[in-house]
Amino acid sequence: LSLFLSQVSLLRSDSALRRSVPRTRDDEPAERAPKSDGYCSRILRAQGTKREGYQEFRLRVEGDPENYQPSSTYRVTLIASHPAYFRGFTVIALKEGKDGDKDEDYAGNFQIIDEEDTQFMTNCPPAVTESTPRRRTRIQVFWTAPPSGSGCVILKASIVQKKIIYFQDEGSLTKRMCEKEPLFGEATDKPLLDCCACGTAKYRVTFYGNWSEKIHPKDYPRRANHWSALIGASHSRNYVLWEYGGYSSDGVKQVAELGSPVKTEEEIRQKGDDVLTVIKMKAQWPAWQPLNVRAAPSAEFSVDRARHLMSFLTMMGPSPDWNVGLSAEDLCTKECGWVQKVIQDLIPWDAGTDSGVSYESPNKATIPQEKIRPLTSLDHPQSPFYDPEGGAITPVARVVVERIARKGEQCNIVPDNVDDIVADIAPEEKEEDDTPETCIYSNWSPWSACSSATCEKGKRMRQRMLKAQLDLSVPCPHTQDFQPCMGPGCSDEDASTCMMSEWITWSPCSASCGVGMRSRERYVKQFPEDGSICTLPTEETETCTVNEECSPNSCLVTEWGEWDPCSATCGQGMKRRERMVKTVPSDGSACEAEMVKVEKCMMPECHTIPCLLTPWSDWSDCSVTCGKGARTRSRQFKSPLELGECAEDLEQVEKCMLPECPMDCVVSEWTEWSECNKSCGKGHMLRTRMVKMEPQFGGNPCPETVQRKKCKLRKCNNSKSGSANSDERRRRKEAREKRRNKQGCKMKPWSTWTECTKLCGGGIQERLITAKKRFKSSQLSSCKERKEIRACNVHPC
């Protein structure tokens, strides 16, 4: 008990001290109180009540990982199961086997999410505790794992409930995680030491987008889903493209919000010698397609000892500012070699520039800008990745970085393995044909011309036709094959090849009349990877002739302009160029020089691309739940749209008929209330409404059609003498009325009562009295038609 009370006293005194200390922007106390001797260790050594077999409190790391990724950030949650709660708490992270007596005993760093709930403990800065003691069932903090080589880590929590403190060295308030061991030849997580590898290495990075409606169905944007153009670089430690806990540059902001890589590429190229290769891939619309329809995009890049890191990012579109990517992936191994392969699943991260919570949230700038952080499943209930249990987000993409060549003398002490060395020097083996015997194809057509006529990456295609499928249960592989390519003279397979830009337009002729000289230039896009000197020319000159006749009477014209693009995209077409009259002949004669020149042009051979479509989907549900509606079914292109046009319908619509919709009973408005049915004493009045349409097809039944309410007039005289006198007075009154009627109106007798409007459940009957004869001296009011109403068949149905 004394341990409990001392612990409560420690926590309370610390809480009071904390509330008097202001916070800095970095979520640390501005003036941290001196650390009490052994204060943290006293917290850790204190032992309170331990309830065996009852897990009412739980410390959870998002995704429940068994191992941590060095320097990665995780969301840590402390949860109380209903109906339990806690008032105070402490969360701390220790290296396994350490007592917490020294600063180096603590592992990683905590980050505050909500200052109203959590703050750093003043007398034990590595620990996180409550801001104010109150009832709570959940708190959250971020924890950044320690760097590589830190070993196993113990995350511990203590709970203060009323005056009782719960510690658990084993169980739901303790989480043990060890560092994720990299596979042999795998990249290190962060560059800890300078790279000691020799020569250079060439890599291919391939991006596989897994963001699809099937895997991520919540609020999936069907129409506009895509990955933006990918941008990245191989670079040195001096350059950071993006990183968790950092702030987005203007370029990263443009990628994250607009999907535009232009500004980021400018920022990368401004880094000069800190960047070796700029990595670029085209945007992908839609975000996901089967690999037999669209090959995964890839790009190649190089690394060397100084620039051995690789970073990239691409935007998920549409989204507020969400991206995926790698940050400072180190491709240099501790054994002074080059990583063979990296495979990394990617989850989206927030650039900290827009506060939207869903794919298509309206633009809402985050002011001030926040730090880059990974998205989590507990960010917001409207988030498409929300999970109230805090489970891990399903990866939206996978990236594969694979070494394809090594150049120059290698100095790694331990060779990777024999197979790996052979793979570097041996040509690629031809892929085995995996076509099933039950699929009969034609031969492959010749490769088409490259889609790029420049040194930019393009693709070429070949195709074959499926002649017969002998076994319908065995699927036949694709009938199209694609291969990356570049324009003529741009191949980089040879290490000594200079990557040159296109020639810049010819300069104007040095002479305006007669023979002169003109020149054009190009520049080196990438020097040979083996370090040799680039010997290809960067400048060309040639003679040019303008206006062969230079007499005063000559017609002087300008040089020919550039050729217009060919009028055809494939096969034969026409192209033209023009020039203009510079000076007309001085003698006034007409200028006979040719002003327009037209020539034939030949583009790559046209290939007819078959229209490949998926089978029709199942019919959708009817658009209505009853009555007449419509239903649809759809199919998709299996071949890329840019390879040919297809006029086939992608959607079909047909009518559908479901059982008739229920029709509720329809009634008229209520009539006015009738007169009271008594001349004295207590009576009642009625009002009615009519049924305009009976219910059909199970519609709601008709409501009541007769309502009554009480009415009360003067009291009636119930004595016999009074009754007799009353009857006498009534007879006298009627006699007087008859005498007056001789000078007014003569009324017909009352009509018979009409039939009851209902057989049961309360109906109404009516009867009328009308004037039979009207005298000249009669008043209009005395001849007015009158009506009486009474209830009938009031017994229930």
Side-chain angles (χ1 to χ4, degrees), residues 332-348:
C332 185
T333 67
K334 297 177 182 178
E335 294 78 20
C336 300
W338 297 110
V339 170
Q340 174 63 37
K341 193 173 187 178
V342 176
I343 300 177
Q344 184 72 48
D345 288 326
L346 305 176
I347 64 170

Side-chain angles (χ1 to χ4, degrees), residues 155-190:
L155 287 168
K156 284 186 172 186
S158 63
I159 291 293
V160 178
Q161 188 188 46
K162 297 181 180 178
K163 294 184 178 181
I164 303 175
I165 303 174
Y166 297 111
F167 286 88
Q168 289 191 345
D169 291 331
E170 297 176 357
S172 60
L173 285 179
T174 297
K175 176 73 175 178
R176 179 179 183 268
M177 294 193 300
C178 294
E179 179 181 348
K180 180 182 179 182
E181 292 292 334
L183 300 175
F184 182 78
E186 210 175 41
T188 56
D189 295 293
K190 289 294 175 183

Side-chain angles (χ1 to χ4, degrees), residues 289-351:
Q289 278 189 328
L291 292 179
N292 64 343
V293 175
R294 182 182 68 195
S298 63
E300 295 176 3
F301 65 95
S302 300
V303 292
D304 59 18
R305 176 180 291 188
R307 294 156 292 190
H308 52 94
L309 307 180
M310 176 266 199
S311 303
F312 78 87
L313 75 154
T314 176
M315 178 199 73
M316 295 175 65
S319 71
D321 58 346
W322 298 343
N323 314 266
V324 298
L326 290 180
S327 175
E329 189 72 31
D330 196 347
L331 300 175
C332 185
T333 67
K334 297 177 182 178
E335 294 78 20
C336 300
W338 297 110
V339 170
Q340 174 63 37
K341 193 173 187 178
V342 176
I343 300 177
Q344 184 72 48
D345 288 326
L346 305 176
I347 64 170
W349 48 268
D350 190 305

Side-chain angles (χ1 to χ4, degrees), residues 387-432:
D387 177 8
E389 297 297 323
I393 292 178
T394 302
V396 296
R398 169 174 287 185
V399 65
V400 177
V401 182
E402 189 169 15
R403 195 182 73 217
I404 55 177
R406 289 183 292 189
K407 306 296 179 182
E409 182 181 355
Q410 302 295 309
C411 59
N412 48 315
I413 300 171
V414 181
D416 296 335
N417 54 59
V418 174
D419 294 336
D420 178 57
I421 296 173
V422 172
D424 277 344
I425 61 176
E428 293 184 3
E429 295 183 1
K430 186 177 180 181
E431 293 184 1
E432 296 183 1

Side-chain angles (χ1 to χ4, degrees), residues 75 142 242-248 252-253 256-257 313-314 316 319-325 347-358 364-366 368-376 379-380 383 385 393:
R75 185 185 293 258
F142 284 133
W242 71 271
E243 64 179 348
Y244 288 131
Y247 291 95
S248 297
V252 171
K253 179 180 179 181
E257 295 185 5
L313 75 154
T314 176
M316 295 175 65
S319 71
D321 58 346
W322 298 343
N323 314 266
V324 298
I347 64 170
W349 48 268
D350 190 305
T353 61
D354 191 289
S355 300
V357 297
S358 63
K364 184 180 179 183
T366 302
Q369 184 174 330
E370 295 179 352
K371 295 179 179 179
I372 295 174
R373 65 172 184 84
L375 294 183
T376 74
D379 284 337
H380 195 282
S383 167
F385 307 106
I393 292 178

Side-chain angles (χ1 to χ4, degrees), residues 10-23 27-37 39-40 43 89-92 103 112 118-131:
L10 284 171
L11 292 173
R12 288 179 175 174
S13 62
D14 181 74
S15 177
L17 180 59
R18 285 195 311 269
R19 287 195 292 271
S20 65
V21 180
R23 304 299 297 264
D27 295 330
E28 293 284 353
E31 297 180 2
R32 183 179 293 168
K35 182 177 178 180
S36 300
D37 183 29
Y39 187 85
C40 287
I43 295 176
F89 66 90
T90 303
V91 180
I92 204 162
D103 288 340
I112 301 301
T118 54
Q119 61 181 355
F120 292 103
M121 184 175 283
T122 308
N123 286 10
C124 182
V128 176
T129 188
E130 77 278 357
S131 297

